[in-house]
């Protein structure tokens, strides 16, 4: 952060000059966003340290622990909201959010499409914050490189999974443990794909699965042109141990321009319309038999692909309703 701050007198003029080139028109916006991100990181680290001191480093059996968790949750919400607002302003993003009625009620198990690092803020800013739901996240352990996620994420009841663990069932059990003592105002978020979608990554995944997957199932997976096949371990562990929570699914488009640093730099994300759709499945409509749960997950992924295709096919129109938090 200090290094970036000291470099600003050089970075800003260079970014503005590069932005004059059509192929690099997003460089200035990208540099500004990176600076905002680093500011959020620095603020998050400082506040998290302050909370640790104020609450006197409480342990789980300490009476201060619930208030400590609540304070860290509020910090997490503020961090995500600040990043969303920065991206919205700097990249001139426009949000079209529908299906918000699916977000009302007790905390649910949310399963979302994952197309970019940026889309991870969707559940927080459109679901958790406006509905006062405390989400428990299932995240890949690689994200622990982020200092704020490492510090605050490990204080809160989240699960950082090892996607390459030799003992897959043990990792699935850790995911299912998030359901323990789940309060009515708490929910769980999981990205069933396990990582963000990229066309080249999809090709590798399908190639690997082709040797171990029945032909009819492979044909179905190949029809998911904008999605990775869902990993079954974590999602099915949540369905199998679900104590009575509804499911909420989240489909979206518009984050494709933020998949790579070069997309931000060349301006591909500038002025993007982010279309988000939610739908809810009542607990009573979720199969209870394990094989049927796997078929149910695939059926919802069929719907996810259909929704993403519909969103991609929509034409932008002036005056289209926007629902913003």
């Amino acid at each position: 952060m200090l290094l970036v701050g000291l470099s600003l007198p050089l970075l800003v003029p260079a970014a503005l000059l590069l932005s004059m080139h059509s192929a690099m028109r997003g460089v200035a916006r990208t540099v500004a966003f990176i600076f905002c991100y680093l500011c959020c990181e620095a603020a998050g680290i400082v506040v998290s340290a302050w909370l640790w001191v104020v609450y006197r480093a409480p342990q789980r059996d300490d009476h201060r622990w619930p208030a400590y968790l609540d304070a860290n949750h509020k910090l997490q919400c503020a961090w995500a909201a600040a990043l969303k607002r920065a991206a919205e302003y700097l990249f001139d993003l426009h949000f079209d959010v529908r299906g918000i009625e699916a977000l009302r009620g007790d905390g649910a198990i949310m399963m979302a499409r994952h197309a970019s690092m940026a889309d991870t803020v969707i559940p927080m800013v459109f679901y958790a914050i406006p509905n006062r739901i405390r989400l428990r996240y299932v995240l890949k352990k690689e994200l622990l490189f982020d200092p704020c996620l490492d510090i605050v994420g490990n204080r809160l009841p989240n699960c950082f999974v090892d996607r390459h663990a030799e003992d897959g069932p043990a990792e699935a059990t850790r995911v299912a443990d998030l359901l323990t003592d789940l309060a009515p105002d708490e929910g769980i978020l999981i990205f069933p794909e396990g990582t963000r979608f990229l066309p080249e990554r999809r090709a590798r995944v399908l190639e690997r699965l082709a040797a171990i997957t029945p032909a009819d199932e492979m044909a179905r997976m190949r029809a998911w042109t904008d999605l990775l096949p869902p990993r079954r371990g974590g999602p099915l562990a949540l369905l199998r141990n679900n104590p009575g929570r509804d499911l909420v699914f989240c489909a979206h488009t518009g984050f494709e321009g933020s998949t790579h640093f070069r997309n931000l730099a060349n301006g591909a994300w500038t002025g993007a319309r982010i279309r988000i759709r939610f739908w809810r499945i009542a607990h009573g409509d979720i199969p209870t038999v394990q094989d049927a749960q796997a078929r149910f997950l695939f059926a919802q992924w069929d719907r996810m692909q259909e929704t993403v295709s519909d969103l991609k096919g929509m034409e932008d129109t002036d005056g289209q309703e926007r629902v913003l938090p």
Side-chain angles (χ1 to χ4, degrees):
M1 178 64 192
L2 178 61
L3 180 61
V4 173
L6 294 174
S7 302
L8 281 179
L10 295 176
L11 285 175
V12 172
L16 290 174
L17 284 173
L18 287 171
S19 296
M20 296 174 67
H21 192 285
S22 60
M24 302 289 285
R25 62 190 178 92
V27 169
R29 297 172 188 264
T30 303
V31 169
F33 180 74
I34 291 173
F35 181 72
C36 290
Y37 170 77
L38 292 175
C39 286
C40 288
E41 284 290 305
I45 293 170
V46 170
V47 174
S48 65
W50 178 76
L51 292 176
W52 187 79
V53 172
V54 167
Y55 287 93
R56 303 174 188 175
Q59 301 300 311
R60 294 182 183 275
D61 57 351
D62 194 306
H63 72 278
R64 294 184 296 266
W65 184 255
Y68 180 62
L69 285 186
D70 186 60
N72 278 275
H73 171 71
K74 289 177 179 176
L75 172 58
Q76 182 187 54
C77 289
W79 184 83
L83 287 177
K84 183 261 184 183
R85 291 192 184 99
E88 182 179 11
Y89 175 76
L90 291 170
F91 292 102
D92 189 27
L93 304 178
H94 308 284
F95 288 86
D96 170 17
V97 185
R98 302 186 186 183
I100 57 175
E101 65 279 357
L103 305 180
R104 301 189 182 111
D106 288 348
I109 300 172
M110 178 176 283
M111 298 189 179
R113 182 194 183 208
H114 193 17
S116 161
M117 282 296 296
D119 64 31
T120 56
V121 304
I122 291 177
M124 183 63 69
V125 299
F126 291 107
Y127 179 39
I129 295 175
N131 293 280
R132 298 183 179 180
I133 297 293
R134 292 177 294 165
L135 282 176
R136 300 182 177 186
Y137 277 73
V138 180
L139 300 166
K140 57 185 180 183
K141 71 173 186 177
E142 289 85 349
L143 293 176
L144 291 173
F145 82 92
D146 183 299
C148 279
L149 281 176
D150 189 5
I151 298 170
V152 179
N154 277 308
R155 290 176 180 177
L156 297 170
N158 300 314
C159 180
F160 290 89
V161 296
D162 182 354
R163 297 172 299 156
H164 308 294
E166 293 184 4
D167 191 352
E171 291 296 291
T173 298
R174 291 181 58 231
V175 172
D177 286 344
L178 290 176
L179 295 164
T180 303
D181 299 325
L182 200 64
D185 66 344
E186 290 183 299
I188 293 175
L189 169 71
I190 187 170
F191 296 98
E193 293 160 292
T195 189
R196 60 193 174 95
F197 170 88
L198 293 171
E200 58 271 24
R201 182 172 288 151
R202 172 179 175 270
R204 291 195 300 269
V205 170
L206 291 179
E207 182 180 3
R208 175 174 54 82
L209 290 174
I212 56 174
T213 306
D216 58 337
E217 198 169 294
M218 278 305 304
R220 194 171 187 179
M221 291 180 181
R222 290 192 175 96
W224 299 329
T225 54
D226 298 293
L227 306 170
L228 297 178
R231 291 172 175 256
R232 306 188 195 198
L236 291 183
L238 291 174
L239 295 183
R240 188 166 55 250
N241 296 277
N242 185 0
R245 298 306 178 95
D246 294 349
L247 297 182
V248 170
F249 289 87
C250 173
H252 56 78
T253 59
F255 284 96
E256 291 78 9
S258 62
T259 55
H260 293 90
F261 198 74
R262 64 176 179 269
N263 295 126
L264 298 177
N266 67 21
W269 207 34
T270 303
R273 183 174 293 279
I274 310 297
R275 304 182 190 277
I276 305 172
R277 301 293 182 267
F278 297 102
W279 68 92
R280 194 177 189 105
I281 306 293
H283 176 259
D285 295 329
I286 303 171
T288 56
V289 178
Q290 188 168 345
D291 288 345
Q293 288 175 343
R295 292 193 295 272
F296 168 82
L297 179 61
F298 270 46
Q300 294 306 313
W301 229 239
D302 289 337
R303 181 173 178 179
M304 183 76 74
Q305 176 59 59
E306 181 181 356
T307 304
V308 170
S309 297
D310 288 345
L311 294 178
K312 282 191 169 185
M314 291 177 63
E315 294 182 358
D316 288 345
T317 57
D318 293 335
Q320 187 169 26
E321 177 186 2
R322 299 178 194 169
V323 183
L324 301 176

